[in-house]
Amino acid sequence: MGEVRVEQRGRVVLATLVNPPHALMDAGIVDGLESLVDRAESDAGVGAVVLTGEHAERFIAHYEVRELLDGARSGPSVSPRVAKGSLRVAGALRRVPAAQRTLARTPAAGLVAIERFHEILLRMNRCGAVFLAALNGSAMGGGCELALACDVRIMADGPYLIGQPEILLGFPPGGGGTQRLARLLGRARALRLVLDGGPLGPAEAVEIGLVDELAAPDRLIDRALALAARLGSRQKTAIGACKRAVYDGGSLPLPAGLRVERAEFLAALGTHQAQVAMQAYLDAFDATGQLPLYDSATRERTLETGLFGAELDGP
């Protein structure tokens, strides 16, 4: 069973995915990810999470195929329509602890597992902490899908691969790969990638926007931690609002997406932190007669602290 080892550095949690010898995604890794998201949601001292792998050449290889095959063999073959209905039922029952324990001992265990994995990744997308994937090596299948659920992806520059090879085993991606790729890259490019099944190298991944930037292997973690510290210094309420507006609202028709943005804006506007920052901004304007964030020194200080006026609390 794999595990997720965590170490807190300031407001950043460095989470290392551990499952020797092959760095497979399995139930143990999923357990660790769920605990990690619980902590990121509930701990005010966690502003960002950096995910990386322990394996010398892999972030996460892919999901444990043995688990998938065992799940497939334990239940009947069904149509997509029946599968959708079964997943809805499993998703509802997963919220009932007693039902969870019962389902885990039945052929429906696979339904519960996939619903749980998707729920964890969606919680990452809606969480008030920033998630960064520091891809220290290859990330295929479930490893790629985990990286896609992160807000930022930094990849080590080297002989590594990232992609969705599921079609080569006779099935499509099942951990969000088709949906997040389509939203990130556009439908045509996403479809080409999942139909082919061939992976991309780091330079190709950056070129098409699958990965945000490359780093030398020996600088990867330092770069990821530095960026995580910067982004994680913003207020968690505002981070979560931005993420939900982009991830949830950005996939809706424009009028509906705009309503999501307005709702997040109004909710965040009423928080104590936002009101303190706005008052500090107005105080600075009244004192100087100049718009504070148009002053380069003030702007840079604010980008570093994450909230206007926060530097006024320092020495």
Side-chain angles (χ1 to χ4, degrees), residues 134-137 154-160 201-203 211 213-218 220:
L135 299 161
N136 58 296
I154 304 175
M155 190 170 189
D157 193 5
Y160 309 123
V211 168
E213 62 180 87
L214 300 184
D218 61 346
L220 174 71

Side-chain angles (χ1 to χ4, degrees), residues 108-148:
L111 297 175
V112 174
I114 194 169
E115 282 291 297
R116 179 190 182 206
F117 186 60
H118 276 269
E119 183 180 312
I120 291 167
L121 299 192
L122 282 171
R123 286 171 62 195
M124 288 169 55
N125 292 154
R126 295 164 178 163
C127 178
V130 177
F131 279 78
L132 289 86
L135 299 161
N136 58 296
S138 295
M140 305 278 273
C144 181
E145 288 168 323
L146 176 58
L148 286 169

Side-chain angles (χ1 to χ4, degrees), residues 183 240-252 260-261 264:
R183 285 160 173 75
C242 289
K243 289 170 61 170
R244 290 186 293 271
V246 171
Y247 288 125
D248 294 345
S251 60
L252 297 173
V260 172
E261 181 187 86
E264 295 292 351

Side-chain angles (χ1 to χ4, degrees), residues 25-40:
M25 173 86 75
D26 68 358
I29 295 288
V30 176
D31 287 345
L33 289 172
E34 186 169 45
S35 296
L36 181 64
V37 175
D38 288 343
R39 180 173 173 178

Side-chain angles (χ1 to χ4, degrees), residues 1 30 54 129 175 178 187 215 289 300:
M1 291 285 282
V30 176
E54 182 194 52
T178 62
R187 286 181 294 181
E300 287 306 312

Side-chain angles (χ1 to χ4, degrees), residues 183-205:
R183 285 160 173 75
L184 184 65
L185 306 179
R187 286 181 294 181
R189 183 162 275 165
L191 186 60
R192 176 66 180 269
L193 285 174
V194 298
L195 286 179
D196 184 78
L200 303 176
E204 296 173 287

Side-chain angles (χ1 to χ4, degrees), residues 35-307:
S35 296
L36 181 64
V37 175
D38 288 343
R39 180 173 173 178
E41 289 176 335
S42 63
D43 189 342
V46 176
V49 175
V50 172
L51 288 168
T52 195
E54 182 194 52
H55 194 284
E57 298 175 353
R58 296 171 192 155
F59 174 66
I60 281 289
H62 52 67
Y63 206 90
E64 169 58 88
V65 175
R66 193 176 308 279
E67 285 188 15
L68 298 178
L69 181 58
D70 288 346
R73 285 175 169 167
S74 68
S77 178
V78 296
S79 68
R81 181 178 178 182
V82 171
K84 287 178 185 177
S86 300
L87 287 167
R88 280 196 294 270
V89 172
L93 291 175
R94 224 186 72 72
R95 294 171 176 82
V96 181
Q100 280 190 57
R101 292 190 291 271
T102 300
L103 287 171
R105 297 190 295 269
T106 72
L111 297 175
V112 174
I114 194 169
E115 282 291 297
R116 179 190 182 206
F117 186 60
H118 276 269
E119 183 180 312
I120 291 167
L121 299 192
L122 282 171
R123 286 171 62 195
M124 288 169 55
N125 292 154
R126 295 164 178 163
C127 178
V130 177
F131 279 78
L132 289 86
L135 299 161
N136 58 296
S138 295
M140 305 278 273
C144 181
E145 288 168 323
L146 176 58
L148 286 169
C150 291
D151 307 308
V152 180
R153 287 159 293 283
I154 304 175
M155 190 170 189
D157 193 5
Y160 309 123
L161 302 170
I162 184 169
Q164 303 286 164
E166 289 89 343
I167 199 166
L168 303 178
L169 295 180
F171 53 86
T178 62
Q179 300 308 295
R180 288 189 173 87
L181 279 173
R183 285 160 173 75
L184 184 65
L185 306 179
R187 286 181 294 181
R189 183 162 275 165
L191 186 60
R192 176 66 180 269
L193 285 174
V194 298
L195 286 179
D196 184 78
L200 303 176
E204 296 173 287
V206 167
E207 184 179 355
I208 69 168
L210 176 54
V211 168
D212 295 289
E213 62 180 87
L214 300 184
D218 61 346
R219 296 291 302 160
L220 174 71
I221 298 302
D222 287 344
R223 170 57 183 154
L225 289 172
L227 182 56
R230 178 184 173 99
L231 298 179
S233 68
R234 281 66 173 145
Q235 290 298 303
K236 292 189 73 166
T237 300
I239 290 171
C242 289
K243 289 170 61 170
R244 290 186 293 271
V246 171
Y247 288 125
D248 294 345
S251 60
L252 297 173
L254 182 59
L258 290 171
R259 281 195 296 274
V260 172
E261 181 187 86
R262 289 197 297 273
E264 295 292 351
F265 167 74
L266 290 171
L269 202 64
T271 63
H272 174 72
Q273 296 94 335
Q275 292 180 28
V276 168
M278 287 187 287
Q279 186 61 59
Y281 188 87
L282 292 175
D283 290 345
F285 172 71
D286 291 341
T288 65
Q290 302 296 322
L291 296 173
L293 288 180
Y294 279 83
D295 175 72
S296 59
T298 302
R299 184 173 62 251
E300 287 306 312
R301 285 197 305 272
T302 306
L303 286 168
E304 288 302 316
T305 62
L307 188 71

